[in-house]
Amino acid sequence: MALPPGPTDGFDLGGSDESLALMRDCFGRFGDTYRVFAPSRGVYNYVINHPDDIKRVLLSNHRNYTKGEGMDRVKILLGNGIMTSEGDFWRRQRRMMQPAFHRRVIDQFAGLIDEVNEKFAERWAASAARREPINLTDDVSELTLEIVLRSIFGSDLARIEQQMGANPFEVVAKETNRDLKFAFRFRSLAKLVAEVIQRRRREPEAHFDFLAMLMATRDRDSGEPMADKEMIDEVLTLIVAGHETTAAALTWTWYLVSQHPGVASALESESDRVTAERLGLDAAESLSYAHQVIQEALRLYPPGWLLTRRTIEADELGGYAIGPRSDVFISPYMLHRHPAFWSDAEEFKPERFAGVDAAERHRFSYIPFAVGPRHCIGEGLAMFEMLVHVHRMSQRFRLTRASDEPIELEAQINLRPRSNLMMTVALR
Ligand code: HEM
C-alpha cells in the first residue's frame, strides 16, 4: 500500500507556533492525509484531517492507539493521571472518576460557579466605573482557576489560603510557560494536596467536592480505594486540564463576540429574557443562543488544537499505510475549518449550531472535546461554567476591544491569543 504524500522539508508538528501555518499549507497541497519528517526524532509523523479517519483513530479502532508524541513532557507535569496514563490503569482510574462528573454532581456546583462570577462581575463593574480596561485573559484565567480549585477542594481552599497567606495554586494562572521550571514548581504542590488528604482523614467532616469523591471511590473489582499518589496525580491533572482550556475558550468567545456586535446584542437579549437568580445545569443548557456562541468559538479556536496518538500495530488511514509505533496527529483546528464539511468555514456564525444545520453535519467533523473513550471527562462542567459566565456577564456588560491590533495565535499545548486581550467594559 502507498505511503502518504508530504513536504520535502520536515518540521516538528506542535513544536512551534509555526505549526499551524505549516499545517494549513500542507493541507492545501496534500489534502486530508500527509506525512511530515520530524527532525527532532528522526521519524515521519502522520497527519489526518478526514472525519472518517478521525473516527477510526479515536473511536472504532482506538484499541490500536496510545497517546502519542508530547506525552512524555506532559507526564512530567501531570504524573500518571488520567490525561497521560494508558491501558488497564487508565481504564480503572477513569471508571473510578467518572461518577464525579455525572450531571447530578455538576449541577451542585451551580452555587460556587455563581459566586465566583459574581465576584468578577463586581470587579468588572468597578473597572467600568473607573473607565479602565480589563485584562480579559488574566481575569478569565483567574475565574476558571478559582472554579476548578473550589470544585476540587471545597472549603479547604479558603483554609489553605489562610494558612499560606495566599493561594499557592495561583502559580498556575500567573505563570504561563509550561517548561521544566514550571513543572518543578507545580509538582511541589503535591505536598499540599497530600496534607489536605491527611487532614481530612484525621478530622472527618462532610465535604462535597472532587477530592471527597476521589477519597470515597472504590475499585469495582478489588474494592480498593485510590492510593494517595494516584489521587494527587488526578487532582493536579484536573487543575491543569480544567483551568487552561476553559480560560482559553472564554477568551476566544469574548474576542469573537466583541468583533460581532449583532451577536453581542442577541446574547444580551437572551440574557434579559432568562433572569433566574441561580442557573442549574438544565437551565444553563437551555440558553440556546449562548450555547451556539460558545460552540462556534470552540469550532474556530479549539483550545485543544492538536491531539496526538501512536499506533500499536500498523493501520490504514485515508487509503495509506501507517506503520506500527507511528505518531498520528489530529488537529481539531484544521478539522473545524475543513471546507468540505463546513460552509463559510472561516466565519463566525453561531446560528450554524442551531437545529437543522447541526443535524446535517458529519458527527466527527466537530471534536473540541475529542471523542471516544478518551474524550474530555470535564466537558459537562466546562460547558456549564462557560454558559453561566457568558450569560451572567451579558446581563450586565458589553465588552469592546481596547485596541485593534491584530490577534496572533499562540499554538502551544493550548491555542491562545499570543498577547493579553484588553477589553473596555461598559455597563448595559
Ligand atoms: C473548554 C474547556 C475544555 C476543552 C476544550 C477540553 C478539551 C479536551 C480534549 C480535546 C481532551 C482530549 C485530549 C486528548 O485526547 O489528547 C480532553 C481531555 C481531558 N480533559 Fe478536558 N477540556 C476542557 C475542560 C476540562 C475540564 C473543566 C476538566 C476537568 C475539570 C477537564 C479534564 C480533562 C481530563 C482529565 C482529560 C483526560 C481524559 C482521559 O484521557 O481520560 N477538561 N479535554
Side-chain angles (χ1 to χ4, degrees):
M1 199 183 303
L3 291 167
T8 36
D9 289 344
F11 61 92
D12 288 308
L13 277 157
S16 77
D17 285 350
E18 268 69 69
S19 290
L20 261 184
L22 291 164
M23 286 174 87
R24 267 183 189 270
D25 177 58
C26 285
F27 175 68
R29 287 160 66 200
F30 309 111
D32 284 336
T33 319
Y34 58 91
R35 63 175 196 162
V36 182
F37 187 73
S40 70
R41 293 181 56 235
V43 294
Y44 278 97
N45 286 325
Y46 297 81
V47 180
I48 57 171
N49 199 36
H50 194 287
D52 290 344
D53 294 322
I54 289 170
K55 176 183 177 189
R56 179 171 174 83
V57 172
L58 297 180
L59 186 64
S60 41
N61 196 27
H62 75 90
R63 283 185 194 283
N64 190 42
Y65 289 85
T66 60
K67 290 230 169 163
E69 168 65 12
M71 272 305 125
D72 297 347
R73 248 185 329 151
V74 182
K75 260 196 160 145
I76 299 174
L77 193 61
L78 302 182
N80 209 23
I82 56 168
M83 183 66 88
T84 52
S85 58
E86 296 288 351
D88 288 344
F89 180 75
W90 167 79
R91 227 177 316 282
R92 168 181 177 265
Q93 296 296 100
R94 175 101 191 195
R95 211 165 46 207
M96 287 171 88
M97 290 171 76
Q98 196 66 56
F101 289 87
H102 192 279
R103 293 180 63 81
R104 271 198 311 275
V105 177
I106 292 174
D107 192 43
Q108 296 190 55
F109 290 135
L112 83 85
I113 293 175
D114 256 346
E115 276 170 38
V116 178
N117 274 298
E118 189 50 37
K119 183 170 114 183
F120 277 83
E122 291 313 317
R123 205 196 264 189
W124 286 11
S127 299
R130 290 196 301 267
R131 295 174 193 282
E132 268 173 21
I134 57 162
N135 182 333
L136 182 85
T137 312
D138 281 358
D139 280 2
V140 293
S141 172
E142 251 184 76
L143 174 119
T144 60
L145 183 64
E146 189 166 341
I147 291 175
V148 82
L149 289 175
R150 284 182 58 179
S151 63
I152 293 171
F153 296 112
S155 54
D156 276 336
L157 183 65
R159 200 193 316 213
I160 297 172
E161 281 174 2
Q162 219 172 21
Q163 250 171 23
M164 316 267 303
N167 179 353
F169 295 98
E170 258 175 13
V171 56
V172 181
K174 295 243 152 73
E175 179 53 72
T176 51
N177 272 334
R178 290 296 174 254
D179 52 13
L180 273 176
K181 199 168 130 224
F182 173 79
F184 183 72
R185 277 186 77 184
F186 182 68
R187 289 302 306 181
S188 69
L189 297 169
K191 208 169 129 244
L192 267 177
V193 182
E195 279 166 15
V196 179
I197 295 173
Q198 280 147 18
R199 193 176 45 232
R200 285 191 181 191
R201 288 208 184 100
R202 273 198 317 274
E203 302 163 18
E205 234 183 277
H207 290 275
F208 179 82
D209 47 44
F210 283 130
L211 183 60
M213 292 180 251
L214 288 176
M215 289 177 71
T217 187
R218 294 291 178 267
D219 183 294
R220 197 173 63 180
D221 303 321
S222 68
E224 289 294 313
M226 261 192 212
D228 286 8
K229 160 92 184 59
E230 292 161 8
M231 247 184 303
I232 291 167
D233 282 353
E234 299 304 358
V235 164
L236 296 182
T237 295
L238 292 182
I239 294 174
V240 171
H243 152 253
E244 291 188 353
T245 41
T246 320
L250 285 178
T251 310
W252 287 120
T253 303
W254 285 123
Y255 162 68
L256 288 163
V257 171
S258 72
Q259 301 303 101
H260 297 84
V263 172
S265 302
L267 264 182
E268 288 162 8
S269 309
E270 183 176 72
S271 76
D272 292 343
R273 280 197 308 275
V274 182
T275 54
E277 281 259 308
R278 175 161 296 175
L279 288 175
L281 186 55
D282 286 339
E285 284 173 349
S286 68
L287 297 165
S288 52
Y289 194 68
H291 203 193
Q292 291 163 35
V293 169
I294 294 167
Q295 283 177 297
E296 178 70 340
L298 287 170
R299 181 184 73 82
L300 281 172
Y301 299 106
W305 68 282
L306 192 63
L307 309 178
T308 68
R309 293 294 187 270
R310 185 168 292 164
T311 55
I312 298 172
E313 310 274 337
D315 201 358
E316 184 191 325
L317 296 171
Y320 296 106
I322 314 287
R325 296 199 54 74
S326 302
D327 282 315
V328 176
F329 286 72
I330 296 168
S331 171
Y333 179 94
M334 295 299 300
L335 174 70
H336 293 175
R337 293 170 185 245
H338 197 310
F341 298 95
W342 298 94
S343 53
D344 303 325
E346 304 292 323
E347 281 172 41
F348 180 60
K349 288 184 162 178
E351 331 66 78
R352 73 170 83 236
F353 281 95
V356 182
D357 280 4
E360 283 169 358
R361 225 179 23 243
H362 191 305
R363 216 184 121 209
F364 296 88
S365 62
Y366 182 67
I367 56 164
F369 295 98
V371 286
R374 298 211 66 152
H375 76 273
C376 177
I377 200 170
E379 174 174 355
L381 175 62
M383 283 310 289
F384 185 27
E385 67 176 279
M386 292 192 292
L387 282 166
V388 172
H389 171 77
V390 168
H391 175 72
R392 287 272 175 253
M393 297 309 189
S394 299
Q395 276 174 331
R396 294 183 60 182
F397 307 105
R398 167 77 64 111
L399 270 54
T400 321
R401 274 196 78 197
S403 93
D404 29 287
E405 267 174 48
I407 289 278
E408 281 180 49
L409 297 180
E410 182 186 279
Q412 300 288 334
I413 294 179
N414 284 308
L415 185 66
R416 299 189 301 199
R418 187 188 305 281
S419 312
N420 287 335
L421 198 63
M422 303 303 290
M423 290 279 188
T424 308
V425 200
L427 288 172
R428 291 185 48 217

